[in-house]
């Protein structure tokens, strides 16, 4: 018998029935719970739409694969499964199985290096799972009847190849000692071709360096290179009868890249002298006509040759072969070494040992960026095409116009060059010149100069037109006539980003797909979808202006993702639209018909929708639906009827085990009269009228997260669900910036937003915390120099001093940071020497003496975006001014913490920091006293 408390007995004596709260199975959320919480990653759907597969990944621990037959409801689990791949029919699913986390954590460095992933093949018809060990890669044939498996190098063979540096095998096995050392690039691996219809039928081959299926799944080509035995073969497998034949063999020629034509007529490959080191090996292109087995060698020219990075691609109509070439190939340079007494005094040899990099003022790229780009530049090839009918080779890309967009167009391709703008990219951002290159002649026609690099033109399916956006308008370029037309100048709406608050030209909203036969194309403004006719040059709002009227942003969704041939829509096609409401921040699915103005609502509600894929041969889509209090499970539906979706996963049951909260939208006006929005997440078990500590988290626009399920992981951000479970309200305000005054405009938005929460009776004005990382880390550091509203603040990777950061380097890319301040995120709008005062006014380090808020700074000391010395500057300034500051330096960490112990440690310290200053809990020792430097005993001592 459960006894009632004394207060309840008193109420009973007065004739009043007490309210007894029902017992609940929910519990508070802990960090350990977050570590176990699973998210759905990398969902895929079968071509016929009948099977979905997805990886269920915990924040820490081992994933498992979920496979479901959407017709029968039958489901399977693959222990440790990740990165799913589904065969064409959906019968088979292959997944990577990585070494378990426990195995990795308990292995020494040498053992850990040897650990490799396996692969599991699931047959959903029988439920059987077959495991293949040490798998490097795998792929299904396009018809799904075969599985190709490439294995990791065996430890023994790898030892033979790589261990020759330190192991003398001549006394143990003289035969091995005579074999030449094979460069790692040339080493082949075990390969298996498995028939899925009858798995007793398989082909196992050693020393395979490359393989490729043709598009019709009739043949498989294999490059077999065993340099140690001087055996090089190009084999062809007839997939109908699983028979191997040798197309080419040599004792001296290493076989490189492979390609098979879709029509089954051609096989292309490259070959180079096996005795030469791969770095400087020149290759030759050869084409085999399979019906006659005749090999056609495509000679290199004086100007162009091939190297080991040349890739081969046939056009889908099998009339052209595209391949990459370079002007010259040579072996890697080496420095002369000191080997005898006279070398000690040879100035050339001695200075050759120098460590020097010369930075010249006219270098196209600054040295750190040049170094970061070096490997990519070594791998760069310039696209050429072989017209198979005429046997004519045309060079398309070159050193002047290096980048050609590979596509299925028959006459023209898009090409671009950033060469004229590489130097100015340091301060002005990134630009390209665009060209049309003629596949028959290689002639290049420039049609667009100094275009922002992220504003890509769109070439129509038949190559007759190019659509592009420039400075607020949409243009159509007629390729044959060389004429351009401004399609939007007479329209009353803007096609420029209406929320652009950077000191640069506003970008556009992008293009939708083209119509068939180049009849027209779709383009977006902020809200509506527009359809333009290429012949009449007329356009109309496909969504009939309802987007702008209702403040709903419409975009096409659910198109088949085919990299070989982008979707082209029929003239009267019915299309699915995703709609996002600027007012409610909620999503919906809608429908429109090309050629007709109007929108039909299919479903809408207080949730967020994400289309994750569509089957290639059916109209099935897979999407997620979520809210803060609804896990983004997977749903499948017909492309034309998403409102009739069927739920396919149920990971929301994880959330249901815990106390949870909801999110709501908050509106207010800042000091300049600008309307602003924010997201408020109240603490679990919120009581009206009670004031709570508030954690403010932000960056720029945050309200599109109103209906987003919180990220259930531990990283450099506060976990919202954890904080609201610990008695905090979480506030995510939008920030709108004024050019030249990023700091001040951020402070206005933050303080006015927090004041709104205080007026609502939710926020405890004596317990407001502020947390930001990177750009919002800067804003946090600046805000506390301007207001004492915040009682504690955490700034991750903040810029503290714009005057010193201006000429810093982004170490991850080697790019200078100047452009970021002049035209980018920092929004100053001028150079340091043109507007030095603005750089000072927006730098928190110059106002450190005003700070009254305790600050915790976090940096990884290998930060690849913001120089970590910026954190040192802020720390030293506050230390000198006698302010409360603590600096967390995480060793060998980049801009975002990667090592789990560090992420967990930071999360714990962040909560302890806020709990102390906002809740009055006792300060932990590290916060009150600091931590002395300690060196720990090494594992091998």
């Amino acid at each position: 018998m459960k006894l009632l408390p004394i207060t309840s007995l008193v109420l009973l004596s007065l004739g009043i029935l007490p309210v007894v709260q029902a017992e609940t199975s929910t519990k508070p959320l802990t960090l350990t719970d977050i570590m176990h919480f699973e998210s759905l990653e990398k969902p895929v759907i079968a071509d016929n739409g009948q099977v979905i597969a997805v990886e269920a990944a915990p924040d820490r621990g081992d994933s498992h694969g979920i496979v479901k037959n959407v017709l029968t409801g039958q489901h399977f689990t693959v222990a440790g499964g990740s990165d799913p791949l589904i065969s064409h029919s959906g019968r088979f699913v292959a997944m990577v199985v990585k070494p378990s986390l426990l195995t990795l954590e308990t292995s020494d460095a040498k053992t850990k290096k040897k650990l490799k992933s396996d692969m599991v093949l699931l047959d959903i018809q029988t439920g059987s799972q077959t495991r293949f060990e040490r798998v490097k890669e795998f792929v299904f044939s396009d018809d799904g009847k075969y599985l190709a498996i490439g294995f990791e190098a065996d430890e023994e063979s790898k030892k033979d190849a790589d261990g020759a540096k330190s192991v003398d095998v001549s006394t143990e096995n003289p035969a091995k000692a005579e074999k030449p050392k094979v460069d790692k690039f040339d080493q082949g691996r075990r390969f298996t071709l498995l028939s899925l219809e009858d798995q007793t039928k398989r082909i196992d081959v050693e020393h395979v360096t490359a393989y490729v299926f043709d598009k019709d799944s009739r043949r498989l080509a294999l490059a077999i290179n065993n340099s140690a035995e001087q055996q090089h073969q190009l084999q062809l497998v007839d997939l109908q009868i699983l028979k191997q034949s040798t197309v080419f063999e040599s004792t001296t020629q290493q076989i490189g890249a492979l390609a098979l034509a879709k029509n089954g007529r051609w096989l292309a490959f490259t070959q180079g002298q096996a005795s030469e080191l791969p770095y400087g090996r020149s290759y030759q292109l050869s084409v085999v006509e399979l019906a006659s087995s005749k090999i056609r060698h495509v000679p290199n020219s004086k100007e162009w040759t091939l190297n080991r990075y040349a890739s081969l691609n046939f056009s889908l109509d099998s009339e052209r072969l595209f391949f990459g070439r370079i002007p010259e190939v040579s072996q890697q340079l080496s420095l002369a070494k000191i080997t005898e007494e006279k070398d000690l005094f040879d100035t050339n040899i001695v200075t050759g040992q120098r460590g020097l990099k010369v930075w010249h003022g006219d270098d196209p790229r600054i040295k750190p960026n040049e170094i970061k780009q070096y490997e990519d530049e070594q791998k760069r090839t310039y696209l050429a095409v072989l017209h198979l009918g005429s046997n004519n080779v045309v060079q398309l890309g070159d050193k002047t116009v290096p980048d050609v967009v590979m596509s299925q167009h028959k006459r023209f391709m898009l090409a671009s060059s950033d060469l004229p703008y590489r130097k100015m990219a340091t301060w002005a951002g990134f630009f390209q010149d665009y060209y049309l290159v003629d596949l028959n002649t290689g002639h290049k026609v420039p049609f667009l100069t100094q275009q922002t690099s992220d504003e890509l033109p769109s070439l129509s399916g038949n190559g007759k037109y190019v659509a592009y956006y420039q400075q607020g308008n949409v243009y159509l370029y007629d390729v044959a006539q060389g004429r351009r037309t401004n399609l939007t100048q007479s329209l009353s709406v803007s096609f420029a980003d209406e929320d652009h608050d950077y000191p640069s030209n506003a970008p556009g909203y992008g293009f939708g797909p083209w119509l068939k036969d180049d009849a027209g194309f779709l383009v977006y403004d902020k809200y509506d979808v527009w359809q333009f006719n290429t012949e009449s040059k007329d356009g109309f709002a496909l969504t009939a202006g309802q987007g702008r009227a209702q403040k709903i942003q419409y975009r096409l969704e659910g198109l088949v993702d085919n990299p070989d041939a982008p979707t082209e829509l029929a003239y009267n096609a019915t299309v699915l639209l995703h709609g996002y409401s600027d007012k409610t921040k909620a999503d919906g699915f809608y429908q429109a018909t090309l050629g007709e103005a109007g929108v039909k609502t299919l479903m809408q509600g207080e949730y967020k929708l994400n289309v994750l894929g569509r089957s290639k041969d059916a109209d099935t889509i897979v999407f997620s639906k979520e809210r803060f209090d609804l896990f983004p499970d997977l749903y499948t539906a017909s492309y034309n009827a998403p409102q009739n979706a069927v739920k396919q996963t149920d990971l929301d049951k994880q959330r249901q085990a815990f106390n949870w909260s909801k999110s709501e939208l908050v509106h207010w006006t800042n000091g300049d009269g600008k309307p602003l929005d924010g997201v408020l997440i109240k603490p679990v078990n919120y009581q009206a009228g009670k004031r709570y500590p508030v954690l403010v988290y932000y960056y720029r626009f945050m309200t599109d997260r109103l209906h987003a399920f919180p990220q259930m992981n531990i990283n450099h951000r506060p976990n919202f669900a954890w904080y609201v479970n610990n008695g905090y309200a979480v506030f995510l305000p939008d920030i709108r910036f004024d050019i030249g005054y990023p700091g001040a405009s951020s402070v206005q938005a933050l303080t006015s937003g927090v004041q709104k929460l205080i007026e609502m009776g939710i926020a405890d004005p004596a317990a407001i915390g502020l947390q930001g990382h990177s750009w919002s880390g800067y804003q946090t550091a600046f805000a506390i120099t301007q207001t004492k509203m915040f009682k504690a603040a955490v700034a991750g990777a903040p810029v503290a001093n714009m005057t010193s950061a201006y000429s810093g380097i982004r170490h991850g890319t080697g790019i200078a940071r100047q452009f970021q301040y002049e035209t980018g995120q920092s929004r100053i709008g001028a150079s340091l020497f043109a507007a030095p005062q603005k750089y000072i006014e927006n730098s928190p380090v110059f106002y450190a003496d005003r700070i009254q808020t305790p600050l915790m700074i976090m940096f990884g000391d290998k930060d690849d975006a913001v120089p970590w010395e910026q954190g040192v500057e802020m720390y030293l300034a506050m230390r000198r001014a006698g302010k409360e500051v603590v600096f967390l330096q995480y060793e060998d960490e980049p801009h975002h913490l990667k090592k789990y112990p560090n992420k967990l440690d930071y999360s714990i310290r962040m909560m302890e920091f806020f709990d102390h200053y906002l809740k009055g809990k006792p300060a932990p020792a590290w916060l009150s006293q600091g931590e002395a430097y300690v060196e720990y005993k090494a594992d091998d001592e």
Side-chain angles (χ1 to χ4, degrees):
M1 177 178 177
K2 186 174 181 179
L3 297 177
L4 290 172
I6 294 176
T7 52
S8 296
L9 293 174
V10 173
L11 290 172
L12 283 172
S13 68
L14 296 174
I16 301 173
L17 293 175
V19 177
V20 180
Q21 291 188 346
E23 293 187 18
T24 176
S25 61
T26 58
K27 58 182 181 179
L29 184 73
T30 68
L31 280 176
T32 302
D33 295 322
I34 296 171
M35 295 164 81
H36 284 96
F37 205 99
E38 292 180 338
S39 300
L40 294 176
E41 308 283 349
K42 304 171 185 174
V44 290
I45 185 168
D47 290 348
N48 61 10
Q50 296 178 9
V51 176
I52 62 169
V54 66
E55 173 186 344
D59 186 49
R60 182 167 173 80
D62 303 323
S63 298
H64 69 271
I66 299 173
V67 180
K68 187 160 185 189
N69 186 318
V70 303
L71 298 181
T72 67
Q74 190 179 24
H75 68 275
F76 305 88
T77 299
V78 178
S82 63
D83 302 284
L85 195 64
I86 306 179
S87 67
H88 175 74
S89 67
R91 177 178 170 180
F92 295 94
V93 179
M95 289 191 180
V96 175
V97 178
K98 300 174 183 176
S100 71
L101 178 62
L102 182 60
T103 301
L104 290 168
E105 290 292 333
T106 56
S107 299
D108 58 31
K110 186 176 180 180
T111 303
K112 192 179 297 185
K113 194 173 182 180
K114 295 180 180 179
L115 294 173
K116 304 296 181 182
S117 295
D118 296 341
M119 184 268 284
V120 166
L121 179 66
L122 166 68
D123 183 341
I124 70 169
Q125 193 172 93
T126 66
S128 65
Q129 296 188 24
T130 307
R131 188 169 183 132
F132 298 82
E133 296 182 342
R134 296 179 58 81
V135 172
K136 182 178 180 64
E137 58 194 10
F138 54 89
V139 64
F140 290 108
S141 58
D142 279 8
D143 65 359
K145 294 181 180 180
Y146 291 91
L147 176 66
I149 308 170
F151 293 88
E152 296 280 359
D154 293 330
E155 285 302 315
E156 287 305 312
S157 63
K158 188 172 187 294
K159 182 178 177 182
D160 291 343
D162 298 341
K165 301 173 187 174
S166 56
V167 180
D168 183 3
V169 298
S170 58
T171 57
E172 299 177 12
N173 189 339
K176 275 191 177 181
E178 295 173 3
K179 293 180 181 179
K181 181 182 176 183
V182 179
D183 190 277
K184 187 176 180 180
F185 185 88
D186 288 342
Q187 290 174 24
R189 293 177 169 84
R190 288 189 300 121
F191 172 87
T192 292
L193 176 67
L194 185 67
S195 170
L196 298 175
E197 294 179 336
D198 181 357
Q199 294 186 29
T200 63
K201 295 180 179 179
R202 58 188 284 170
I203 292 176
D204 296 293
V205 186
E206 297 287 341
H207 307 293
V208 172
T209 55
Y211 58 91
V212 64
F213 287 108
D214 67 17
K215 293 288 184 183
D216 286 343
S217 304
R218 291 180 291 181
R219 295 179 176 89
L220 169 75
L222 295 170
I224 303 168
N225 290 288
N226 184 357
S227 295
E229 301 291 344
Q230 296 183 329
Q231 296 174 353
H232 305 274
Q233 285 188 335
L234 176 57
Q235 288 192 359
L236 196 64
V237 181
D238 185 329
L239 297 177
Q240 309 305 311
I241 56 177
L242 215 61
K243 180 182 178 182
Q244 295 168 261
S245 60
T246 300
V247 177
F248 170 83
E249 60 184 335
S250 172
T251 59
T252 61
Q253 295 294 299
Q254 177 84 8
I255 301 168
L258 303 175
L260 278 165
K262 188 176 187 295
N263 66 2
R265 183 179 177 185
W266 307 103
L267 166 61
F269 67 99
T270 62
Q271 55 180 309
Q273 192 66 37
S275 60
E276 296 180 357
L277 290 174
Y279 188 97
R281 180 186 295 147
S282 179
Y283 284 76
Q284 182 181 30
L285 175 63
S286 299
V287 179
V288 183
E289 187 167 14
L290 295 175
S292 63
S293 298
K294 182 179 179 181
I295 299 179
R296 179 196 306 177
H297 298 295
V298 181
N300 295 327
S301 68
K302 291 182 179 180
E303 296 82 15
W304 296 100
T305 186
L306 284 75
N307 66 358
R308 60 177 172 165
Y309 298 116
S311 59
L312 308 178
N313 292 281
F314 282 99
S315 59
L316 289 180
D317 61 12
S318 302
E319 294 180 359
R320 293 169 300 283
L321 173 65
F322 295 97
F323 58 100
R325 300 201 290 185
I326 59 172
E328 61 181 350
V329 61
S330 58
Q331 290 295 346
Q332 190 171 14
L333 298 174
S334 58
L335 294 173
K337 295 181 180 179
I338 295 174
T339 59
E340 52 185 328
E341 179 75 18
K342 67 176 183 178
D343 296 341
L344 293 171
F345 307 96
D346 187 313
T347 57
N348 290 327
I349 294 178
V350 174
T351 58
Q353 314 302 313
R354 67 190 179 275
L356 172 68
K357 297 178 181 69
V358 178
W359 297 41
H360 193 281
D362 288 330
D363 285 342
R365 291 186 172 117
I366 63 171
K367 269 298 174 289
N369 184 227
E370 183 183 347
I371 293 167
K372 290 290 183 180
Q373 294 292 319
Y374 183 80
E375 184 176 352
D376 288 342
E377 289 297 327
Q378 295 304 300
K379 294 180 179 180
R380 179 191 287 278
T381 60
Y382 301 87
L383 192 67
V385 60
L386 169 65
H387 295 275
L388 294 162
S390 63
N391 200 32
N392 182 39
V393 175
V394 179
Q395 188 64 41
L396 303 176
D398 54 37
K399 284 195 169 185
T400 302
V401 183
D403 300 312
V404 180
V405 180
M406 175 70 186
S407 66
Q408 295 300 322
H409 294 91
K410 296 183 178 181
R411 179 63 192 278
F412 294 99
M413 283 183 175
L414 285 174
S416 64
S417 174
D418 69 343
L419 297 177
Y421 312 110
R422 284 186 178 176
K423 183 177 179 181
M424 64 180 282
T426 300
W427 58 85
F430 305 95
F431 299 91
Q432 300 267 354
D433 289 337
Y434 284 93
Y435 300 78
L436 286 164
V437 55
D438 191 321
L439 272 66
N440 294 326
T441 65
H443 179 64
K444 300 172 185 65
V445 178
F447 70 91
L448 187 57
T449 58
Q450 201 168 335
Q451 178 80 337
T452 305
S453 289
D454 56 3
E455 293 291 342
L456 304 179
S458 178
L459 181 60
S460 64
N462 292 337
K464 295 179 181 178
Y465 302 98
V466 181
Y468 63 91
Y469 166 89
Q470 193 173 51
Q471 297 184 353
N473 283 296
V474 176
Y475 293 82
L476 184 70
Y477 180 77
D478 186 312
V479 175
Q481 299 182 18
R483 187 190 327 174
R484 70 196 72 231
T485 304
N486 186 330
L487 301 177
T488 57
Q489 61 182 342
S490 61
L491 299 178
S492 59
V493 300
S494 172
F495 286 80
D497 185 344
E498 297 176 26
D499 297 307
H500 188 72
D501 54 7
Y502 298 85
S504 59
N505 291 327
Y509 288 98
F511 295 96
W514 283 85
L515 276 59
K516 289 183 177 180
D517 301 321
D518 294 2
F521 66 96
L522 303 178
V523 67
Y524 305 119
D525 70 16
K526 180 176 181 178
Y527 296 107
D528 288 298
V529 183
W530 290 75
Q531 180 177 335
F532 285 94
N533 183 291
T534 53
E535 188 170 322
S536 68
K537 310 300 187 292
D538 293 330
F540 69 97
L542 181 66
T543 47
Q546 293 182 37
R548 189 163 294 275
Q550 299 174 15
K551 297 294 184 284
I552 296 176
Q553 297 178 12
Y554 291 117
R555 299 294 184 263
L556 267 70
E557 281 282 11
L559 300 176
V560 176
D561 183 16
N562 186 352
D564 291 326
T567 300
E568 292 180 275
L569 300 176
Y571 317 121
N572 59 349
T574 298
V575 294
L576 178 68
L577 302 176
H578 174 276
Y580 167 76
S581 171
D582 255 4
K583 292 181 179 179
T584 67
K585 316 301 177 183
D587 289 349
F589 284 139
Y590 305 83
Q591 197 173 72
T593 300
L594 298 189
E596 302 176 13
V599 178
K600 177 183 177 182
T601 301
L602 300 179
M603 61 181 285
Q604 60 183 11
E606 297 298 309
Y607 42 65
K608 185 179 183 69
L609 300 168
N610 284 298
V611 178
L612 303 170
R614 178 178 170 180
S615 54
K616 290 182 180 179
D617 301 328
D619 69 348
T620 306
I621 61 170
V622 56
F623 67 91
S624 64
K625 181 170 71 172
E626 63 185 290
R627 288 191 311 267
F628 185 88
D629 59 340
L630 180 67
F631 181 89
D633 276 303
L634 302 186
Y635 296 76
T636 57
S638 164
Y639 175 76
N640 293 312
Q643 69 273 22
N644 299 326
V646 178
K647 187 178 180 181
Q648 300 296 349
T649 61
D650 189 19
L651 270 70
D652 190 52
K653 61 186 178 184
Q654 299 177 104
R655 177 196 62 82
Q656 296 168 9
F658 302 103
N659 295 332
W660 217 260
S661 184
K662 294 184 178 181
S663 58
E664 60 187 76
L665 194 59
V666 179
H667 308 283
W668 73 95
T669 303
N670 74 2
D672 286 345
K674 294 179 181 177
L676 290 172
D677 300 326
V679 176
L680 172 64
I681 309 165
K682 293 176 180 175
V684 296
N685 304 319
Y686 168 76
Q687 298 176 21
K690 181 179 177 181
R691 292 188 178 272
Y692 291 87
V694 174
L695 176 63
V696 182
Y697 176 81
Y698 63 109
Y699 196 85
R700 189 193 177 204
F701 297 154
M702 304 297 291
T703 47
D704 59 351
R705 303 188 189 192
L706 173 65
H707 298 296
F709 190 76
Q711 292 182 348
M712 292 307 293
N713 47 34
I714 294 169
N715 54 27
H716 60 280
R717 304 179 183 92
N719 183 285
F720 302 157
W722 187 41
Y723 272 81
V724 297
N725 256 269
N726 280 275
Y728 287 88
V730 174
F731 183 46
L732 316 176
D734 284 344
I735 310 294
R736 294 186 179 272
F737 296 97
D738 295 322
I739 294 173
Y741 305 95
S745 49
S746 175
V747 172
Q748 274 210 355
L750 290 169
T751 55
S752 60
V754 169
Q755 187 59 42
K756 175 66 176 181
L757 298 191
I758 295 171
E759 293 170 0
M760 292 169 64
I762 293 170
D764 178 351
I768 309 296
L770 188 63
Q771 200 277 350
H773 186 87
S774 193
W775 174 235
S776 57
Y778 153 73
Q779 295 174 70
T780 294
F782 183 84
I784 61 174
T785 70
Q786 306 297 308
T787 176
K788 57 182 181 180
M789 172 178 279
F790 303 103
K791 304 307 175 185
V794 176
V799 166
N801 183 353
M802 288 192 177
T803 68
S804 59
Y806 171 79
S807 289
I809 303 294
R810 295 181 69 93
H811 294 295
T813 59
I815 296 172
R817 295 172 54 83
Q818 291 175 345
F819 78 94
Q820 181 176 323
Y821 294 90
E822 295 193 33
T823 63
Q825 189 177 59
S826 297
R827 298 172 172 84
I828 298 299
S831 69
L832 175 62
F833 27 90
Q837 195 57 39
K838 283 189 177 179
Y839 283 81
I840 294 172
E841 289 174 3
N842 285 284
S843 295
V845 72
F846 291 101
Y847 310 103
D849 59 329
R850 301 180 183 178
I851 295 174
Q852 299 184 45
T853 302
L855 177 65
M856 183 167 80
I857 305 166
M858 189 282 288
F859 254 105
D861 59 15
K862 294 294 186 293
D863 195 305
D864 50 356
V866 179
W868 83 286
E869 292 82 1
Q870 287 290 310
V872 176
E873 286 197 43
M874 192 69 189
Y875 165 79
L876 290 175
M878 291 185 68
R879 174 185 166 96
R880 174 65 180 84
K883 306 300 181 179
E884 292 185 70
V885 62
V886 62
F887 185 14
L888 305 183
Q889 172 195 345
Y890 286 100
E891 297 174 332
D892 298 315
E893 286 280 27
H895 191 55
H896 298 129
L897 298 178
K898 298 297 183 184
K899 300 173 185 176
Y900 206 90
N902 292 340
K903 293 190 287 186
L904 182 61
D905 180 82
Y906 181 44
S907 294
I908 292 171
R909 290 179 192 266
M910 191 190 305
M911 178 69 84
E912 289 177 340
F913 180 82
F914 284 126
D915 278 354
H916 172 62
Y917 287 108
L918 305 187
K919 289 185 174 181
K921 290 187 177 182
W926 66 267
L927 183 57
S928 61
Q929 303 169 22
E931 285 184 355
Y933 174 74
V934 176
E935 290 189 1
Y936 294 93
K937 181 178 179 293
D939 292 339
D940 57 353
E941 291 181 3

